[in-house]
Amino acid sequence: MTRYVVITDEFAVIQETHEIENVDEALEFPHGIVLSAESEKPEIGWRVDNRVAVAPPVPKTISYRQLALEAKSRGLITGAEALALVTTKTLPTIFRAVIDSIQNSDARIDAEITAAGASELNIDDPLIIAIATVITNGTNVQSFLNSFFRSAAAR
C-alpha cells in the first residue's frame, strides 16, 4: 500500500500530493494529512473526507477540444497536432497508428467513423481504450483514462 501526504485548502480540496516511503517523512509537511491509497494516486482537485481521498466522478465524454488540450499538455501530441485535430480532425500520429494497426476491417472502419464523425469521445469507446492501451503500454489503462478524462473535462 502506498502512502501519501496531501496538503488541502480550507475546503478539504487537495492542493499538493507527495508520495512518502514511511510515516516519519510526513513530519516534513506539518499541515499535511497522511493517506493510504490502494488504487489511484490522490490528485490535485480531489477532496479529503474522513482521511480518505475522494476522486471527483469520471466524466463519460469529452470534446475534441478537451482531448487536444489535455493530450498536448501531457506531451502526447504536439501543438500542431492538437490544432489540426480540432480544426480539421486530422488525427495525431499516435492515434493514426492505433487505427492503422486494427486488423479486423469492420473494427477499423468503426474506429475511422468514430474519429471522423464523433462530436464527443466516450471513455468506453474501443478506439479510446485502444489508444490509452498503447500510451500506457497496457499498464493501468483505466486509471490513466480516469485521470485523463477528469483533467480534460476541467478544460
Side-chain angles (χ1 to χ4, degrees), residues 63-119:
S63 68
Y64 267 97
R65 180 189 64 79
Q66 292 167 319
L67 169 72
L69 289 170
E70 187 63 20
K72 183 179 84 53
S73 77
R74 291 181 181 224
L76 302 173
I77 63 175
T78 67
E81 286 177 315
L83 184 59
L85 178 62
V86 295
T87 57
T88 65
K89 287 202 176 171
T90 300
L91 296 179
T93 304
I94 191 167
F95 298 3
R96 179 84 262 150
V98 169
I99 291 174
D100 291 346
S101 73
I102 298 172
Q103 299 298 315
N104 179 291
S105 61
D106 284 341
R108 189 171 47 256
I109 293 293
D110 290 349
E112 293 279 3
I113 291 168
T114 296
S119 58

